[in-house]
Amino acid sequence: MDIAYRDYVESADLAGQRQLFRLSFPEVAGTEVEGEAHYRWKFAGYPASVPSYAYVGEDEGTLIGYYAAIPYRYQIDGQVHVAGMVCDVMTHPQWRGKGVFTGIGRYSLQRMAEQGIAFTTGYPIRPEVLPGHLKVGWKVVQQMPMRLRPIGIGSFLPGWLRPLSSVVDPVLRGLQKRVAPVGKGYRTEVHSRAAFLRWLDTDPRYARFHAEWLAGQPNALIKDADFLAWRTGAPGTEYHFACLHHGDALVGVALARPTSLKGVRTLAVLDFTVLPAHHHAAPALHQALLALAIEHRTDVVACMMSQQWATQYRLARCLYVRTPYVFSLIAKRIGTGLRDEQVYDPSRWHLGWIDSDDL
């Protein structure tokens, strides 16, 4: 076995990358995620001069490893730094357990550092890949449990029991609707992706809201109009934006997508952001998401959030239940422009699914 690592060249490597993807992620067979259009959105569509970074390992001409990152921009202590959000790390099944994962990780991190990436982030959901990351210097920064807000039971039940949902679902939804928003003068609106992006073009309130939110966070993903257009533009997806207003000001935004998680009809909340002075009104935004979930006939509202932000955003008050399913933020500082504590201190981070490539 003579493995060589090098930069990915799409013209030569795309066919091998697609084959390796199908071998590595058989669970997405037949979905939009498997298609080339999704690949091009993810790795060629990001709004940056270099839309992605990718590297391969090959053995005698066969592509056996792939490692990619998307250059997410974070504001850290008022300065903009580019993070390599690592995704689609793959090893050919026949070469697993032979050091390929560690080898391609070392090569890729070195190349990204040379190309100006300040640090890398990842959200591994398969526990078997974590040791390979740790071997090349990644650290587990924070764990973020998935939390569910139950509003129906139909997709949890076998077919013969599903008629029970007609009795149980109205009780659950009635209980959830009793969660009262806090404070006067607040109102919510829910927009489709297309309507929200049009609104961004003509109304400065989101830009003002986002600038104020960024200024109050030590580490925060820059979610400007270009980023949101790209992040919500994956083929075959549907996104909605829930907005919280106080008077004429925009003070909170949540991003959600109807989907299926392990067979359960779900409204997945990718991002939930409320200005600090208005945290007490977060239940109003949760209730807007609840109405959207009921409209789409989902059985749960799901989010991924640390305990710190679950408390700030009143998830327990809104009857979210913590599950045993836990995501981890892992990170590695590879550039010289940041200190360790700026990357590895969990209290600095405001995170959601939007920070990953998931959903």
Side-chain angles (χ1 to χ4, degrees):
M1 186 171 66
D2 185 16
I3 302 172
Y5 301 107
R6 59 173 174 80
D7 292 6
Y8 173 80
V9 179
E10 182 178 296
S11 59
D13 298 323
L14 179 59
Q17 195 271 358
R18 293 286 80 199
Q19 181 181 11
L20 185 58
F21 185 86
R22 288 188 286 272
L23 289 170
S24 301
F25 301 103
E27 67 273 15
V28 302
T31 70
E32 293 277 357
V33 176
E34 185 187 27
E36 190 171 318
H38 187 275
Y39 162 84
R40 296 203 176 280
W41 160 76
K42 188 171 183 177
F43 294 116
Y46 187 81
S49 58
V50 179
S52 63
Y53 298 82
Y55 315 93
V56 299
E58 60 182 357
D59 183 17
E60 297 182 353
T62 299
L63 197 150
I64 62 170
Y66 179 81
Y67 200 104
I70 302 172
Y72 280 15
R73 294 189 307 140
Y74 282 84
Q75 183 168 292
I76 298 179
D77 292 333
Q79 301 295 317
V80 177
H81 298 271
V82 178
M85 195 281 293
V86 171
C87 51
D88 287 8
V89 178
M90 303 178 284
T91 302
H92 193 290
Q94 295 178 9
W95 277 265
R96 290 175 187 166
K98 299 179 181 180
V100 175
F101 188 94
T102 302
I104 197 171
R106 286 199 179 99
Y107 175 85
S108 301
L109 292 168
Q110 178 181 336
R111 287 291 294 130
M112 278 190 273
E114 293 168 354
Q115 292 167 296
I117 301 299
F119 64 100
T120 52
T121 64
Y123 299 84
I125 58 174
R126 296 180 177 182
E128 62 269 19
V129 308
L130 188 56
H133 285 302
L134 299 180
K135 281 182 182 178
V136 295
W138 290 74
K139 295 182 180 181
V140 178
V141 176
Q142 186 174 96
Q143 291 190 323
M144 295 158 289
M146 182 187 292
R147 289 173 166 83
L148 302 180
R149 189 178 189 186
I151 57 175
I153 63 171
S155 51
F156 290 96
L157 300 175
W160 64 278
L161 282 177
R162 284 180 185 165
L164 285 174
S165 65
S166 63
V167 176
V168 176
D169 290 5
V171 175
L172 278 175
R173 292 174 181 179
L175 178 65
Q176 296 287 3
K177 288 177 180 179
R178 292 175 64 87
V179 177
V182 177
K184 296 181 179 180
Y186 291 94
R187 61 184 176 85
T188 58
E189 298 174 342
V190 177
H191 305 278
S192 68
R193 171 184 183 266
F196 187 78
L197 294 180
R198 286 196 300 270
W199 182 67
L200 293 188
D201 284 339
T202 59
D203 195 303
R205 280 179 290 178
Y206 178 80
R208 289 198 294 263
F209 159 78
H210 185 51
E212 184 176 348
W213 177 76
L214 280 175
Q217 303 298 325
N219 295 9
L221 177 64
I222 297 174
K223 297 172 281 193
D224 58 16
D226 288 342
F227 176 84
L228 291 176
W230 170 79
R231 185 62 175 82
T232 59
T237 58
E238 176 188 356
Y239 292 93
H240 300 268
F241 290 84
C243 297
L244 176 66
H245 299 269
H246 186 249
D248 192 49
L250 179 66
V251 299
V253 176
L255 171 63
R257 173 188 167 186
T259 189
S260 176
L261 296 178
K262 296 188 180 299
V264 176
R265 296 189 301 271
T266 302
L267 183 73
V269 182
L270 280 75
D271 193 30
F272 193 98
T273 305
V274 179
L275 296 179
H278 302 275
H279 282 175
H280 66 279
L285 198 53
H286 288 298
Q287 294 307 87
L289 294 171
L290 173 67
L292 181 64
I294 292 172
E295 177 185 341
H296 283 268
R297 301 180 181 275
T298 65
D299 285 333
V300 296
V301 181
C303 67
M304 172 183 80
M305 198 174 293
S306 70
Q307 184 58 53
Q308 171 189 353
W309 288 104
T311 300
Q312 294 289 338
Y313 290 146
R314 280 49 173 185
L315 265 66
R317 176 185 175 88
C318 295
L319 307 182
Y320 284 82
V321 178
R322 177 173 172 157
T323 75
Y325 196 68
V326 177
F327 287 80
S328 295
L329 164 66
I330 63 173
K332 179 173 171 58
R333 185 175 67 85
I334 60 176
T336 59
L338 292 168
R339 303 182 305 276
D340 279 358
E341 60 268 24
Q342 290 177 293
V343 176
Y344 301 130
D345 180 355
S347 68
R348 297 177 60 88
W349 290 92
H350 183 291
L351 300 167
W353 265 313
I354 196 169
D355 293 78
S356 74
D357 68 320
D358 198 21
L359 301 175

